[in-house]
């Protein structure tokens, strides 16, 4: 994991290596590093290619990631997470195009003001099944595309970040996502969120269970100790 090579063996057709619990979640960091290594090379290859061709290529990569997930390739590889990275790159290109005067800011703001509603609706089957055990009978083609949870979480991040970056906050007396995200507790959580993600496995899976077992505490203390630490 320290070389960001986690799961790379799967591209060679090999079985996934078994990592210590404290390193299992670092697959996401490895995927990010794989993207950062390849993205500049892709940009160099795409120099001078028309915008429409780039858009079609982006759509093809999103479709590829959905296809691979639907056919059993695990979602902890770069190829199966391309939709999130492509949407993030698209957001950067949109911002650059606005600054360069190639896209009208007003039109973009109109789109992003309500775009986040779509992924919220598309996530309902996934969330209702996970939290309430309710199964939605969806056609297979929709289940692996529009209603795919991985794609919609990526789309939700794309829509929410786009809203925060491109849509200006209203007057001081107005209510908006900007004001909610500006609350001090959420600002603090945002500051520590990534380090918390990296450090949570030893606390949640090793330290907390050890303390609960040693001192024979009620199981609710797994939550109390984990969140406290």
């Amino acid at each position: 994991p320290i070389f960001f090579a986690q799961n790379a063996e799967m591209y060679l057709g090999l079985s996934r290596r078994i990592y210590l619990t404290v390193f299992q979640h670092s697959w996401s960091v490895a995927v990010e590093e794989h993207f950062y290594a390849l993205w500049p090379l892709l940009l160099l290859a795409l120099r001078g290619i028309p915008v429409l061709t780039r858009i079609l290529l982006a759509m093809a990569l999103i479709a590829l990631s959905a296809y691979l997930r639907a056919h059993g390739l695990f979602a902890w590889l770069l190829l199966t997470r391309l939709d999130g990275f492509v949407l993030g790159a698209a957001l950067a290109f949109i911002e650059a195009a606005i600054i360069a005067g190639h896209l009208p800011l007003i039109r973009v703001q109109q789109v992003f003001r309500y775009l986040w509603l779509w992924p919220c609706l598309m996530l309902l089957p996934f969330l209702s099944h996970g939290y309430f055990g309710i199964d939605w009978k969806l056609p297979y083609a929709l289940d692996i595309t529009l209603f795919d949870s991985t794609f919609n979480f990526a789309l939700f991040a794309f829509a929410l970040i786009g809203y925060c970056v491109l849509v200006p906050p209203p007057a001081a007396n107005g209510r908006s996502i900007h004001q909610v995200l500006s609350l001090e507790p959420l600002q603090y959580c945002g500051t520590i969120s990534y380090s918390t993600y990296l450090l949570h496995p030893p606390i949640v899976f090793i330290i907390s269970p050890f303390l609960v077992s040693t001192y024979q505490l009620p199981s609710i203390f797994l939550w109390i100790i984990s969140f406290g630490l």
Side-chain angles (χ1 to χ4, degrees):
I2 62 173
F3 297 108
F4 305 116
Q6 190 164 340
N7 300 335
E9 66 275 6
M10 298 179 67
Y11 287 115
L12 302 176
L14 303 176
S15 299
R16 182 174 185 257
R17 292 176 57 85
I18 303 301
Y19 296 89
L20 294 174
T21 300
V22 293
F23 292 125
Q24 285 284 3
H25 66 307
S26 63
W27 68 266
S28 61
V29 186
V31 167
E32 291 174 28
E33 295 300 330
H34 300 164
F35 172 76
Y36 297 144
L38 295 175
W39 183 243
L41 302 178
L42 182 61
L43 288 182
L44 287 174
L46 294 178
R47 284 188 304 177
I49 292 180
V51 174
L52 179 59
T53 303
R54 296 187 183 192
I55 293 175
L56 293 175
L57 177 60
M59 294 172 63
L61 292 177
I62 290 175
L64 174 63
S65 62
Y67 175 84
L68 293 176
R69 288 196 301 267
H71 287 76
L73 192 60
F74 292 103
W76 47 58
L77 295 172
L78 176 59
L79 285 178
T80 59
R81 294 284 175 164
L82 284 174
D83 41 9
F85 287 108
V86 168
L87 287 171
L91 190 60
F93 277 112
I94 290 171
E95 185 179 22
I98 291 173
I99 294 173
H102 300 314
L103 273 178
L105 177 59
I106 298 299
R107 293 284 182 85
V108 175
Q109 289 175 345
Q110 289 173 343
V111 171
F112 276 96
R113 193 177 297 277
Y114 299 107
L115 183 61
W116 56 273
L117 289 172
W118 180 32
C120 286
L121 293 174
M122 296 301 103
L123 282 171
L124 283 179
F126 172 77
L127 296 175
S128 59
H129 175 73
Y131 288 102
F132 304 108
I134 301 174
D135 278 318
W136 292 42
K137 303 301 180 183
L138 297 171
Y140 178 72
L142 292 178
D143 190 43
I144 66 171
T145 54
L146 294 181
F147 287 90
D148 175 57
S149 58
T150 302
F151 170 70
N152 277 289
F153 276 123
L155 183 61
F156 180 74
F158 169 80
L160 188 61
I161 294 172
Y163 178 95
C164 293
V165 171
L166 301 173
V167 180
N173 59 350
R175 295 183 179 274
S176 71
I177 296 177
H178 294 92
Q179 290 181 314
V180 174
L181 296 179
S182 296
L183 294 174
E184 192 169 333
L186 291 184
Q187 291 279 319
Y188 177 71
C189 287
T191 302
I192 67 169
S193 61
Y194 196 68
S195 56
T196 301
Y197 169 70
L198 292 177
L199 294 173
H200 82 272
I203 293 174
V204 173
F205 299 114
I206 298 176
I207 297 175
S208 294
F210 172 77
L211 293 175
V212 168
S213 174
T214 300
Y215 295 101
Q216 299 182 342
L217 300 171
S219 58
I220 186 64
F221 276 85
L222 284 171
W223 292 86
I224 296 173
I225 295 172
S226 296
F227 276 101
L229 292 178

